[in-house]
Amino acid sequence: MRVVRTVEQLRETLEYMRQGGHTPVGFVPTMGFLHEGHASLLRKAAEMSNTVVMSIFVNPLQFGPNEDFEAYPRDERRDLELAEREGADIVFIPSVEEMYPQPTRTQVTVSSLTTQLCGASRPGHFDGVTTVVSKLFNMVQPDYAFFGLKDAQQVAVLRRMVSDLNMNVQIVACPIVREADGLALSSRNVYLSAEERSQALVLSHSLREAREAIQTGQVRTAAEVRGLLVSVIESSPLAVIDYAEILSFPELEPLDQGISLNEAPGEIIMALAVKFGRTRLIDNNVFIPKEVAVLV
Amino acid sequence: MRVVRTVEQLRETLEYMRQGGHTPVGFVPTMGFLHEGHASLLRKAAEMSNTVVMSIFVNPLQFGPNEDFEAYPRDERRDLELAEREGADIVFIPSVEEMYPQPTRTQVTVSSLTTQLCGASRPGHFDGVTTVVSKLFNMVQPDYAFFGLKDAQQVAVLRRMVSDLNMNVQIVACPIVREADGLALSSRNVYLSAEERSQALVLSHSLREAREAIQTGQVRTAAEVRGLLVSVIESSPLAVIDYAEILSFPELEPLDQGISLNEAPGEIIMALAVKFGRTRLIDNNVFIPKEVAVLV
C-alpha cells in the first residue's frame, strides 16, 4: 500500500498502476476516522477493481460555518491500518492547501435534488460535496466509485451529477452497515454520551417499525408513515427531529399525500435526521413498497 | 476522418485511437459554421496531437432567451469539408437530445470572472459554456483543448475551471484571426449588412489606435485608454457600445483608476462588445503594457 499526499504523486502512482495493467480502478472517497462501513466499501472495491484508491480528506467546503469541521474526528494511524488490512493499494491524504491552493471559484452544483432533507438543513453542503468529488474524480479518474447508502441523498445527487456531466465513472452504492443493536455506523457516533448512544437507537427502531407497519397494512400513506416515525422517535426524550421524510428515490420528490404507498411506482426512501445534544445523526431505508407488500 | 453523432460512438472511436497509440488527443470544441479562425485551431491541434477531435454543437444552454440560438448559422456540409482539409480525425456532431437527454440539473459555474464583460451582458452565458465544456471534456478526455483568444474571457474562465477542478487537460489559447482589413473572424459576421460590415472596422481600429497611443505615451491610464476606445468607436454612427473595458488578464479585475498602465504588473486586456443593428460583435487585445512601452 502506498500513501501519497500530493496530486502529482497520486497521478504518478496511478499512471504506474495503469501501465502495469492493474485496471479497473476503484475509488473510495472518505473523510477518514474509518469504521466498518468504510471497510465494507473497500472490500466491495477490491472485489470489483484491480487498483483500489482510498482518499481521506475532511473537506472544509461541505461544512457550514457553525458545523463540526474543526472538531471532526481524525486518526490517521488507525485509518491507515484499516486501509491496509482491507486491501487499499493507494491512500491519498491531501492537505487543505493541496486540495485548494487558492480559494475555488468553480463550483459544481446539482439543483432540486439538493433542496430537501440534508440540503435544507445544511445549506451549501451538497455544493461542497459535488465540487470536491468532481476534483477527486478528475485526479483519480476511477472506473468505479463506492459510496455508502447511509448518505442516500449524496448517492442520488452524485448519480445525477455523473449522468448530467457524462463523467466516465460508475457510482456503486453499498448497504448501510449497523452495530449489532441497529445503530448505523458513523464517524460522528463517537460524539455521543452513553445515554445519547442508547437513545439514538430510536432511528433504526423507527425505520424498522415503519417497514413492519407497511408490511402488515397498519399504515398506508406517506403521512401515516411519517406519523409513526415521529411518534417512535419522540419516545426518546433527548431526540430533536431535524427531518423525517418519505420521498421517491432517487428523485427525492414528495409522494402524493393520501395515496397508498403501494401505489408508488418505484423506490421510496424513509429518511431521518435527528439531533442528540450537539450530535446530528442520519439514517434511512430505501425500498420498493410493492415488494415489501408482496412479502406479507 | 470519422463523423460520429453519439457519445457512445465517440467513446468507442477514441478508445480505438488510444489503443493504437495515437496520443496525445487534441480537442477543438466549436459551434460550427467554421471559418479560418477555427481552421487555425485545428492546425495547432494537429501540430500538438496525434488524434484531433472537433465537436460541432450549438449549445442552447449558453444562449439567453432573447439571443440567436435558433438563428445561429449552420452549414454542416461545408464544416465537414473544412474539418477534413485541416486534419481533423474525428468530428463529433451530437443532437441537442444526445447532449441533454434530460434537462441538466447539474451546473458548473465559475464566479467573479464571469460577472463582468460578456458575463454582465449575457447572464448565464458562461454557466452554459462551463457546463457544456465539462461534459465535452468528460466525453473526449483530451490532453489539449484549443480555444481562440477572440473569446478571451472564455479562455480565462475555462483555465480557472480546469485549475480549480483539477481537470487533466491543458487549455491552449490561440491568436485572433482577422480579415485583411482587421475585422476579427466570427461566425456572426454573416449577419452584417454591407454598411454594418464596413463600420464594424471601428473595433479593430480602436484597439490598434489605443495600442499605439499607449506606446507613444499619449494615453497613460485605463480611463484615458477607455476614452480613446469609446471616441473611435463612436465615430461609427451605427455602433452601439455594449462595453469597452480595460482589465487585468486573466483575473479580469479593474485596474486602479489613475495609475499609469505601465505600472500594472502583468497582462491587461482591452475588451470590446459593440452592436451593429441586431448583431453583437466582440474583439479584444491582450498585452503587457510594460513590454509595449519598451518597444517605443
Side-chain angles (χ1 to χ4, degrees):
Chain A
M1 186 177 81
R2 181 139 184 227
V3 178
V4 296
R5 295 182 189 274
T6 69
V7 180
E8 194 185 343
Q9 287 170 341
L10 174 66
R11 288 200 202 272
E12 278 171 13
T13 310
L14 277 162
E15 179 65 20
Y16 176 83
M17 298 301 275
R18 286 198 171 91
Q19 283 186 349
H22 303 290
T23 54
V25 172
F27 178 41
V28 181
T30 80
M31 301 210 300
F33 211 72
L34 306 176
H35 51 61
E36 187 56 25
H38 300 103
S40 76
L41 300 180
L42 283 171
R43 286 195 290 272
K44 187 73 183 173
E47 190 187 308
M48 293 178 66
S49 330
N50 282 308
T51 296
V52 174
V53 183
M54 166 173 265
S55 65
I56 297 177
F57 179 60
V58 185
N59 173 36
L61 230 60
Q62 71 194 67
F63 287 80
N66 298 314
E67 291 184 357
D68 57 345
F69 172 67
E70 292 295 341
Y72 197 85
R74 291 155 169 96
D75 188 340
E76 182 178 311
R77 196 184 51 77
R78 219 187 43 136
D79 286 350
L80 291 177
E81 283 168 17
L82 183 145
E84 174 110 57
R85 190 168 68 238
E86 300 296 350
D89 298 297
I90 303 172
V91 181
F92 176 48
I93 314 185
S95 65
V96 172
E97 293 68 34
E98 181 69 13
M99 286 297 282
Y100 302 108
Q102 52 187 350
T104 184
R105 287 183 174 170
T106 309
Q107 274 207 325
V108 180
T109 56
V110 177
S111 63
S112 90
L113 284 172
T114 54
T115 53
Q116 61 295 72
L117 304 181
C118 289
S121 315
R122 306 182 67 187
H125 168 69
F126 284 111
D127 298 345
V129 170
T130 45
T131 301
V132 80
V133 170
S134 293
K135 285 167 69 73
L136 289 166
F137 281 1
N138 285 328
M139 293 170 187
V140 176
Q141 301 185 275
D143 300 286
Y144 307 109
F146 301 83
F147 293 88
L149 268 169
K150 185 158 93 50
D151 300 301
Q153 187 175 15
Q154 176 172 272
V155 168
V157 168
L158 292 175
R159 283 216 163 121
R160 184 71 191 218
M161 173 185 83
V162 164
S163 158
D164 278 345
L165 294 184
N166 305 89
M167 291 176 172
N168 215 359
V169 56
Q170 188 187 325
I171 302 284
V172 181
C174 299
I176 298 177
V177 178
R178 299 178 180 280
E179 304 277 8
D181 61 7
L183 183 69
L185 294 192
S186 165
S187 304
R188 289 188 172 99
N189 289 349
V190 295
Y191 295 152
L192 298 168
S193 69
E195 184 53 32
E196 288 167 346
R197 167 71 182 75
S198 162
Q199 294 197 18
L201 290 178
V202 288
L203 275 83
S204 56
H205 287 176
S206 68
L207 292 169
R208 200 182 57 211
E209 286 195 34
R211 276 281 287 264
E212 287 170 2
I214 294 167
Q215 287 177 342
T216 59
Q218 271 181 279
V219 293
R220 300 169 51 88
T221 68
E224 286 167 11
V225 174
R226 187 173 187 286
L228 177 60
L229 290 168
V230 168
S231 79
V232 175
I233 296 167
E234 287 182 342
S235 71
S236 150
L238 294 178
V240 177
I241 294 176
D242 178 0
Y243 62 73
E245 301 278 356
I246 296 89
L247 301 170
S248 65
F249 190 85
E251 301 81 10
L252 303 182
E253 285 167 1
L255 305 171
D256 284 342
Q257 295 299 319
I259 72 153
S260 171
L261 287 187
N262 295 338
E263 293 162 28
E267 284 191 309
I268 69 164
I269 183 171
M270 299 190 288
L272 306 177
V274 179
K275 279 191 156 185
F276 294 87
R278 297 173 64 180
T279 307
R280 182 175 170 281
L281 300 180
I282 59 175
D283 200 347
N284 71 78
N285 209 187
V286 175
F287 62 103
I288 300 176
K290 277 182 197 165
E291 294 185 2
V292 171
V294 165
L295 298 175
V296 180
Chain B
M1 188 176 82
R2 178 136 188 230
V3 178
V4 295
R5 297 182 189 272
T6 69
V7 180
E8 194 184 345
Q9 287 170 342
L10 174 67
R11 289 199 201 273
E12 277 171 13
T13 311
L14 278 162
E15 179 65 20
Y16 176 82
M17 299 301 274
R18 286 198 171 91
Q19 282 186 349
H22 304 288
T23 55
V25 172
F27 179 41
V28 181
T30 80
M31 299 209 301
F33 211 71
L34 306 177
H35 51 63
E36 187 57 25
H38 300 104
S40 76
L41 300 180
L42 282 172
R43 286 195 291 271
K44 186 73 183 170
E47 191 187 308
M48 294 179 65
S49 330
N50 282 308
T51 296
V52 175
V53 183
M54 167 173 266
S55 65
I56 298 176
F57 180 60
V58 185
N59 173 35
L61 230 59
Q62 70 194 68
F63 287 79
N66 298 315
E67 291 183 359
D68 58 345
F69 171 68
E70 292 295 341
Y72 197 85
R74 292 156 168 93
D75 188 340
E76 181 177 311
R77 198 183 51 77
R78 219 188 42 137
D79 286 350
L80 290 177
E81 282 168 18
L82 184 146
E84 174 111 56
R85 190 167 69 239
E86 300 296 349
D89 299 297
I90 303 172
V91 181
F92 176 49
I93 314 184
S95 65
V96 172
E97 293 67 35
E98 182 69 13
M99 286 297 282
Y100 302 109
Q102 52 186 349
T104 183
R105 288 184 172 171
T106 308
Q107 274 206 325
V108 180
T109 56
V110 177
S111 63
S112 89
L113 284 172
T114 53
T115 54
Q116 61 296 74
L117 305 180
C118 290
S121 314
R122 306 181 67 187
H125 168 69
F126 284 111
D127 298 344
V129 170
T130 44
T131 300
V132 80
V133 170
S134 294
K135 285 168 68 74
L136 290 166
F137 281 0
N138 285 329
M139 292 170 189
V140 177
Q141 300 185 275
D143 300 286
Y144 306 110
F146 300 83
F147 294 88
L149 268 168
K150 185 156 92 50
D151 300 303
Q153 186 175 15
Q154 176 171 274
V155 168
V157 168
L158 291 176
R159 283 215 163 120
R160 183 70 191 217
M161 174 185 82
V162 164
S163 159
D164 278 346
L165 294 185
N166 305 88
M167 291 176 171
N168 215 0
V169 57
Q170 188 187 323
I171 302 286
V172 181
C174 300
I176 297 177
V177 178
R178 298 178 180 282
E179 304 278 8
D181 61 7
L183 184 69
L185 295 192
S186 165
S187 304
R188 290 188 173 97
N189 289 349
V190 295
Y191 295 151
L192 298 168
S193 70
E195 183 53 32
E196 289 167 344
R197 168 71 182 77
S198 162
Q199 294 198 19
L201 290 177
V202 289
L203 275 84
S204 56
H205 288 175
S206 68
L207 292 169
R208 200 182 57 213
E209 285 195 34
R211 275 281 285 265
E212 287 170 3
I214 294 168
Q215 286 177 344
T216 58
Q218 272 180 276
V219 294
R220 300 170 50 88
T221 68
E224 286 166 14
V225 175
R226 188 174 187 287
L228 177 59
L229 290 169
V230 168
S231 79
V232 175
I233 296 167
E234 286 182 343
S235 72
S236 150
L238 294 178
V240 177
I241 295 177
D242 178 1
Y243 62 73
E245 300 278 354
I246 295 89
L247 301 170
S248 65
F249 191 84
E251 301 81 10
L252 303 182
E253 285 166 2
L255 305 171
D256 283 342
Q257 295 299 317
I259 73 157
S260 169
L261 287 187
N262 295 338
E263 294 162 27
E267 285 190 308
I268 69 165
I269 183 170
M270 299 190 289
L272 307 177
V274 179
K275 278 193 156 185
F276 294 88
R278 296 173 64 179
T279 307
R280 184 174 168 280
L281 300 179
I282 58 173
D283 200 347
N284 72 78
N285 208 185
V286 175
F287 62 105
I288 301 176
K290 276 181 196 166
E291 294 184 2
V292 171
V294 165
L295 298 174
V296 181

